[in-house]
Coordinates of all heavy atoms in Angstrom, one line a residue:
N11 N -33.3 -14.6 16.2 CA -33.2 -13.7 17.4 C -32.3 -12.6 17.2 O -31.8 -12.0 18.3 CB -32.8 -14.6 18.6 CG -31.4 -15.3 18.4 OD1 -30.9 -15.2 17.3 ND2 -31.0 -15.9 19.4
L12 N -32.1 -12.1 16.1 CA -31.1 -10.9 15.8 C -31.9 -9.7 16.3 O -33.1 -9.5 15.9 CB -30.7 -10.8 14.4 CG -29.9 -11.8 13.9 CD1 -29.6 -11.5 12.3 CD2 -28.6 -12.1 14.6
N13 N -31.2 -8.8 17.0 CA -31.9 -7.5 17.3 C -31.6 -6.6 16.1 O -31.0 -6.9 15.1 CB -31.3 -6.8 18.6 CG -29.8 -6.6 18.5 OD1 -29.3 -6.2 17.5 ND2 -29.1 -6.9 19.6
H14 N -32.3 -5.4 16.2 CA -32.3 -4.4 15.1 C -30.9 -4.1 14.6 O -30.5 -4.0 13.5 CB -33.0 -3.2 15.4 CG -33.1 -2.1 14.4 ND1 -33.9 -2.2 13.2 CD2 -32.3 -1.0 14.1 CE1 -33.7 -1.3 12.3 NE2 -32.7 -0.4 13.0
T15 N -30.0 -3.8 15.5 CA -28.6 -3.5 15.3 C -27.9 -4.5 14.5 O -27.2 -4.3 13.5 CB -27.8 -3.1 16.5 OG1 -28.4 -1.9 17.2 CG2 -26.4 -2.6 16.2
E16 N -28.1 -5.9 15.0 CA -27.5 -6.9 14.3 C -28.0 -7.1 12.9 O -27.2 -7.5 12.0 CB -27.7 -8.1 15.2 CG -26.9 -8.2 16.5 CD -27.3 -9.2 17.5 OE1 -28.5 -9.7 17.4 OE2 -26.5 -9.6 18.3
K17 N -29.2 -6.9 12.7 CA -29.9 -7.1 11.4 C -29.3 -6.1 10.4 O -29.0 -6.4 9.3 CB -31.4 -6.9 11.5 CG -32.1 -8.0 12.1 CD -33.6 -7.7 12.3 CE -34.4 -8.7 13.0 NZ -35.8 -8.4 13.3
M18 N -29.0 -4.8 10.8 CA -28.5 -3.8 10.1 C -27.0 -4.1 9.7 O -26.6 -3.9 8.5 CB -28.6 -2.4 10.7 CG -30.0 -1.8 11.0 SD -31.0 -1.8 9.5 CE -32.1 -3.3 9.7
E19 N -26.3 -4.7 10.6 CA -25.0 -5.0 10.4 C -24.8 -6.2 9.5 O -23.9 -6.2 8.5 CB -24.3 -5.3 11.7 CG -22.8 -5.8 11.6 CD -21.9 -4.7 11.0 OE1 -22.3 -3.5 11.0 OE2 -20.7 -5.1 10.7
L20 N -25.8 -7.2 9.6 CA -25.7 -8.3 8.7 C -26.2 -7.9 7.2 O -25.5 -8.4 6.3 CB -26.8 -9.4 9.2 CG -26.9 -10.6 8.4 CD1 -25.5 -11.3 8.3 CD2 -28.0 -11.5 9.0
I21 N -27.1 -7.0 7.2 CA -27.5 -6.5 5.8 C -26.3 -5.8 5.2 O -26.0 -5.9 4.0 CB -28.7 -5.5 5.9 CG1 -29.9 -6.3 6.3 CG2 -28.9 -4.7 4.7 CD1 -31.1 -5.4 6.6
R22 N -25.5 -5.0 5.9 CA -24.4 -4.3 5.4 C -23.4 -5.2 4.9 O -22.8 -5.1 3.8 CB -23.7 -3.5 6.5 CG -22.6 -2.5 5.9 CD -21.9 -1.8 7.1 NE -21.2 -2.8 7.9 CZ -20.0 -3.2 7.6 NH1 -19.4 -2.9 6.5 NH2 -19.4 -3.9 8.4
I23 N -23.0 -6.3 5.7 CA -22.0 -7.3 5.2 C -22.5 -8.2 4.1 O -21.8 -8.3 3.1 CB -21.8 -8.2 6.4 CG1 -21.0 -7.5 7.6 CG2 -20.9 -9.4 6.0 CD1 -20.9 -8.2 8.8
L24 N -23.8 -8.6 4.1 CA -24.3 -9.4 2.9 C -24.4 -8.5 1.7 O -24.1 -9.0 0.6 CB -25.7 -9.9 3.3 CG -25.7 -11.0 4.4 CD1 -27.1 -11.4 4.7 CD2 -24.9 -12.2 4.0
N25 N -24.7 -7.2 1.8 CA -24.7 -6.4 0.6 C -23.3 -6.3 0.0 O -23.1 -6.2 -1.2 CB -25.2 -4.9 1.0 CG -26.8 -4.8 0.9 OD1 -27.4 -5.5 0.1 ND2 -27.2 -3.9 1.6
K26 N -22.3 -6.1 0.9 CA -20.9 -6.1 0.4 C -20.6 -7.4 -0.3 O -19.9 -7.2 -1.4 CB -19.9 -5.9 1.6 CG -18.5 -5.7 1.3 CD -17.6 -5.4 2.4 CE -16.2 -5.3 2.0 NZ -15.3 -4.9 3.1
L27 N -20.9 -8.6 0.2 CA -20.7 -9.8 -0.5 C -21.4 -9.9 -1.7 O -21.0 -10.3 -2.9 CB -21.0 -11.0 0.4 CG -20.0 -11.5 1.4 CD1 -20.6 -12.6 2.2 CD2 -18.8 -12.0 0.6
D28 N -22.6 -9.3 -1.8 CA -23.4 -9.4 -3.1 C -22.9 -8.5 -4.1 O -22.9 -8.8 -5.3 CB -24.9 -8.9 -2.7 CG -25.9 -9.1 -4.0 OD1 -26.1 -10.3 -4.4 OD2 -26.4 -8.0 -4.4
R29 N -22.5 -7.3 -3.7 CA -21.8 -6.4 -4.6 C -20.5 -7.0 -5.3 O -20.1 -6.7 -6.3 CB -21.4 -5.1 -4.0 CG -22.5 -4.2 -3.7 CD -22.1 -2.8 -3.3 NE -21.3 -2.7 -2.2 CZ -21.8 -2.5 -1.0 NH1 -23.0 -2.5 -0.7 NH2 -20.9 -2.5 0.0
F30 N -19.8 -8.0 -4.5 CA -18.6 -8.6 -5.0 C -19.1 -9.7 -6.0 O -18.5 -9.8 -7.1 CB -17.9 -9.3 -3.9 CG -16.8 -10.2 -4.4 CD1 -15.5 -9.6 -4.6 CD2 -16.9 -11.5 -4.4 CE1 -14.5 -10.3 -5.1 CE2 -15.8 -12.3 -4.9 CZ -14.6 -11.7 -5.3
H31 N -20.1 -10.5 -5.7 CA -20.3 -11.8 -6.4 C -21.2 -11.4 -7.6 O -21.1 -12.1 -8.7 CB -21.0 -12.8 -5.6 CG -20.0 -13.3 -4.5 ND1 -19.0 -14.1 -4.9 CD2 -20.0 -13.2 -3.2 CE1 -18.3 -14.5 -3.9 NE2 -18.8 -14.1 -2.8
H32 N -22.2 -10.5 -7.6 CA -23.1 -10.2 -8.6 C -22.4 -10.0 -10.0 O -22.8 -10.6 -11.0 CB -24.1 -9.3 -8.3 CG -25.2 -9.1 -9.2 ND1 -25.3 -8.3 -10.3 CD2 -26.4 -9.9 -9.3 CE1 -26.4 -8.5 -11.0 NE2 -27.1 -9.4 -10.3
P33 N -21.4 -9.0 -10.0 CA -20.9 -8.8 -11.3 C -20.2 -10.1 -12.0 O -20.2 -10.2 -13.2 CB -19.8 -7.7 -11.0 CG -20.3 -7.1 -9.9 CD -20.9 -8.2 -9.0
I34 N -19.6 -10.9 -11.1 CA -18.9 -12.1 -11.5 C -20.0 -13.1 -12.1 O -19.8 -13.7 -13.2 CB -18.2 -12.8 -10.4 CG1 -17.1 -11.8 -9.9 CG2 -17.6 -14.1 -10.8 CD1 -16.4 -12.4 -8.6

């Protein structure tokens, strides 16, 4: 039930986590 704004914010946060973990 996330709205568009919440989806965009979640993508931003998850991308940040992915950029941290992927090189490791």
Side-chain angles (χ1 to χ4, degrees):
N11 58 349
L12 298 179
N13 60 39
H14 179 76
T15 301
E16 290 168 335
K17 289 174 185 177
M18 296 304 102
E19 179 64 9
L20 181 58
I21 289 172
R22 186 188 69 80
I23 293 171
L24 292 176
N25 272 334
K26 183 175 180 179
L27 274 175
D28 187 65
R29 288 194 300 269
F30 174 83
H31 291 292
H32 190 268
I34 297 171

